[in-house]
Amino acid sequence: AQKITQTQPGMFVQEKEAVTLDCTYDTSDPSYGLFWYKQPSSGEMIFLIYQGSYDQQNATEGRYSLNFQKARKSANLVISASQLGDSAMYFCAMREGPVAAGNKLTFGGGTRVLVKP
Amino acid sequence: DTGVSQDPRHKITKRGQNVTFRCDPISEHNRLYWYRQTLGQGPEFLTYFQNEAQLEKSRLLSDRFSAERPKGSFSTLEIQRTEQGDSAMYLCASSSNHPTSGRVGEQFFGPGTRLTVL
C-alpha cells in the first residue's frame, strides 16, 4: 500500500484564490510527522509546513495552512491568496517514528499547481 | 550561503561509465540523506548517514551504488557502470537533532544533481 497518496496530479487555480491540495497517509506508528514541500521548475525542494502527529492544532505558516484530520489520516495543504510564484510541484511527505530518530521521508507523487493570472 | 550544496549540478555520461556526486550539508547537521527523483515522481529514499555511520540503505541502492561520509561532513554518492535507468535527479538533504534554528529533524534539501545517462 502507498504510504503517501496525492490524488490530484494537476490543478489550475486563479490568482488570489485559495487552493487545497489533498494528501492521505498510511502508518501504524503513533509518532510521525507530515511535511509539505514545494518544488519549482528549478528543482530545489522548499520546505513549506510541518505537522507532528501529537500536535493539537493545525499548523500554519504565512499563507500556508495544514488541515490535519488524524482519524481520516489526511493532511491537506491550503494555500490562500494564490500568487503566480506559487506555480510549482507540491509534495506531501511523511517521517515515521519520533523526530529524534532522524528517519527518512516518504514522498507522495506530487501535485502540479498552475496559477492563472 | 549556508545551505546544502551539491556538485555537480548536471552530469551527462555514457552508459557504462562511473560517476560521483558530492553533497556538502549544513555545517552543524549530523544527519545526511540521499534521495533519487525520476521525472514526474516524488523523491525516493536511497540512504542515510548519522555522522559518518551509514544507518540505512534502501533496496533501491543496488551493488553499483555506494555512498560514503568519511569524516561526518560531506558525502559522496558513486554510481558504477551507469545504466540509462539511472537517469534522475539525485537530491541530498541534511538535518540536525540539535538545531540552533528551525525544527528538530527538519530536512533541508540541496539543489540536486541531474544525471543523464546516454
Side-chain angles (χ1 to χ4, degrees):
Chain A
Q2 292 286 333
K3 285 187 176 288
I4 296 286
T5 302
Q6 295 181 252
T7 58
Q8 305 150 310
M11 299 182 71
F12 286 101
V13 59
Q14 199 68 40
E15 191 179 10
K16 299 181 185 176
E17 291 187 351
V19 61
T20 298
L21 308 184
D22 295 341
C23 173
T24 58
Y25 60 93
D26 183 31
T27 182
S28 57
D29 200 314
S31 179
Y32 55 90
L34 297 158
F35 299 76
W36 278 92
Y37 284 87
K38 171 185 178 182
Q39 188 176 44
S41 56
S42 56
E44 62 194 295
M45 296 289 283
I46 302 168
F47 167 80
L48 296 178
I49 196 166
Y50 169 81
Q51 182 83 42
S53 59
Y54 294 117
D55 293 345
Q56 294 296 312
Q57 295 189 329
N58 287 347
T60 60
E61 294 278 355
R63 294 187 300 113
Y64 304 107
S65 60
L66 200 151
N67 183 3
F68 181 45
Q69 298 188 41
K70 195 170 182 177
R72 298 177 63 181
K73 293 189 174 180
S74 75
N76 297 342
L77 176 71
V78 180
I79 307 174
S80 62
S82 296
Q83 302 172 355
L84 296 178
D86 293 336
S87 294
M89 283 290 287
Y90 289 80
F91 290 99
C92 180
M94 176 173 65
R95 180 210 69 242
E96 294 180 275
V99 170
N103 292 339
K104 63 182 180 291
L105 297 180
T106 301
F107 286 83
T111 296
R112 180 171 298 281
V113 172
L114 288 176
V115 180
K116 299 185 292 184
Chain B
D1 184 8
T2 57
V4 179
S5 62
Q6 293 186 246
D7 184 71
R9 295 291 305 277
H10 304 273
K11 179 70 176 178
I12 300 174
T13 191
K14 292 183 179 179
R15 189 176 52 188
Q17 298 294 305
N18 299 344
V19 293
T20 300
F21 310 140
R22 176 178 170 127
C23 171
D24 287 87
I26 294 172
S27 59
E28 67 265 26
H29 285 185
N30 59 333
R31 294 170 176 163
L32 188 148
Y33 308 79
W34 285 99
Y35 294 86
R36 180 173 71 185
Q37 185 179 23
T38 53
L39 204 59
Q41 303 296 317
E44 295 175 295
F45 170 77
L46 292 178
T47 189
Y48 153 54
F49 291 86
Q50 178 155 304
N51 301 312
E52 64 274 11
Q54 190 173 18
L55 297 187
E56 188 175 352
K57 291 169 61 173
S58 163
R59 57 184 170 80
L60 292 176
L61 216 65
S62 74
D63 292 346
R64 297 184 297 105
F65 287 71
S66 63
E68 294 182 343
R69 194 181 184 200
K71 295 182 180 179
S73 55
F74 72 92
S75 175
T76 58
L77 178 68
E78 181 183 17
I79 309 174
Q80 296 182 326
R81 304 181 304 281
T82 52
E83 301 172 356
Q84 288 184 325
D86 297 332
S87 296
M89 175 79 88
Y90 290 83
L91 294 164
C92 176
S94 69
S95 73
S96 171
N97 53 340
H98 299 289
T100 54
S101 63
R103 268 165 290 272
V104 171
E106 179 179 337
Q107 293 187 21
F108 294 81
F109 282 81
T113 293
R114 184 170 295 283
L115 173 66
T116 302
V117 181
L118 302 176

